[in-house]
Amino acid sequence: NAGVTQTPKFQVLKTGQSMTLQCAQDMNHEYMSWYRQDPGMGLRLIHYSVGAGITDQGEVPNGYNVSRSTTEDFPLRLLSAAPSQTSVYFCASSYSSGLVNTGELFFGEGSRLTVL
Amino acid sequence: RKEVEQDPGPFNVPEGATVAFNCTYSNSASQSFFWYRQDCRKEPKLLMSVYSSGNEDGRFTAQLNRASQYISLLIRDSKLSDSATYLCVVPVMDSNYQLIWGAGTKLIIKP
């Protein structure tokens, strides 16, 4: 199994450009999520999904859109990139929607985004 | 006050020593908490869960002190491969789907 696959691993954008970070998992996980990680801060939840067709906002959703048309895929779209969105982005999935019980998230390798 | 706080370190520890660090949290009635490990420029991976009764896995022991609202991680007989950043994770109150992450404690094991 490949686990959680994110692409691209690196991306440089100019302010105002849009792009999509791809995330796919082959573990038939119900739960998928996107986090961003910035220096000196904990991972912050952007959006999450508990199943195909269901998405919800996390802590820092502004400037990002998601969709979940299949169980496997959960792309993250940056609508109009800003320098404040320079970060490392992680996609994560979990077998169980009840994270309070298991807490086990499986992460992709991360996507490093720089917005100039 | 941040919801989850960790000493960022780095903790510089000689190989073979015992090291412990804490994570303080606020506003969680959860029964379980988590420690993740993150190697430099890699993704986080679950290290262990922490329950009211604590948890031990080999050289690693995690404890929960609900009265003082902190969880701890103890590493015995530390190895060079233990060098990493350790992330404390706390479930969000009233949510089954959201976690709050500490910024991490960096551990460096020296030969």
Side-chain angles (χ1 to χ4, degrees), chain A residues 10 31 35 37 40-43 45 48 50 57-58 90 97-105 107-109 112, chain B residues 2 30-32 34 36 38 41-46 49 51 87 91-92 95-103:
Chain A
F10 301 93
Y31 181 93
Y35 285 91
Q37 187 173 36
M41 302 182 72
L43 287 161
L45 182 64
Y48 66 98
V50 298
Q57 296 181 349
F90 287 101
S97 292
L99 291 181
V100 295
N101 299 318
T102 67
E104 183 159 22
L105 285 168
F107 284 83
E109 294 182 336
R112 294 181 177 276
Chain B
K2 294 180 184 176
S30 177
Q31 297 301 310
S32 53
F34 312 98
Y36 273 71
Q38 186 173 25
R41 301 180 73 85
K42 298 288 189 180
E43 72 275 21
K45 293 182 180 178
L46 181 65
S49 305
Y51 308 107
L87 309 176
V92 172
S95 172
N96 282 331
Y97 313 122
Q98 299 191 48
L99 305 169
I100 302 174
W101 296 71

Side-chain angles (χ1 to χ4, degrees), chain B residues 1-14:
Chain B
R1 179 185 172 188
K2 294 180 184 176
E3 292 190 73
V4 178
E5 292 197 61
Q6 296 184 251
D7 183 337
F11 284 54
N12 290 284
V13 175

